[in-house]
């Protein structure tokens, strides 16, 4: 398996739990590529209902469990601000869809 960032590591973990022998390879070291450039953010606030939101929620739950020596994890939140009434209504509807 190539890629030892959060996605590659999560996939490798699930495969290993299923009994598959897995080797992670990453040119930049564990979490040194895209994951590192994302500053450790696992955002859910910008994901609409569907597979991407489910994956983000799974990653958010899994990341603190798999973070080990040499891996930085800081639980962070995010905020989306509406500057108009129309924007606020759209964000309220989006959040309701996420919760559902």
């Amino acid at each position: 398996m190539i890629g030892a960032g959060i996605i590659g590591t999560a996939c490798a973990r699930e495969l290993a739990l299923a009994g598959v022998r897995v080797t992670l390879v990453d040119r930049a070291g564990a979490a040194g590529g895209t994951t590192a450039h994302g500053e450790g953010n696992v955002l859910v606030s910008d994901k609409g209902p569907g597979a991407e939101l489910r994956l983000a929620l799974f990653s958010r739950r899994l990341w603190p469990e798999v973070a080990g020596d040499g891996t930085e994890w800081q639980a962070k939140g995010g905020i989306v601000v509406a500057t108009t009434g129309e924007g606020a209504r759209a964000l309220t509807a989006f959040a309701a869809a996420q919760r559902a």
Side-chain angles (χ1 to χ4, degrees):
M1 178 161 241
I2 298 175
I6 187 63
I7 301 300
T9 302
C11 292
R13 177 183 185 269
E14 292 303 306
L15 288 167
L17 289 173
V20 176
R21 185 178 167 149
V22 178
T23 301
L24 281 171
V25 178
D26 197 304
R27 68 179 172 182
T34 302
T35 298
H37 291 104
E39 298 179 348
N41 292 323
V42 179
L43 297 176
V44 296
S45 60
D46 61 343
K47 311 288 187 294
E52 188 178 17
L53 177 59
R54 288 191 304 274
L55 178 61
L57 289 169
F58 177 69
S59 295
R60 176 60 184 87
R61 188 178 74 246
L62 184 63
W63 184 244
E65 294 176 20
V66 300
D69 293 339
T71 304
E72 181 180 341
W73 168 257
Q74 294 177 349
K76 298 178 182 180
I79 187 167
V80 179
V81 178
T83 58
T84 65
E86 181 181 340
R89 286 186 291 280
L91 285 175
T92 299
F94 185 76
Q98 283 182 311
R99 282 190 298 276

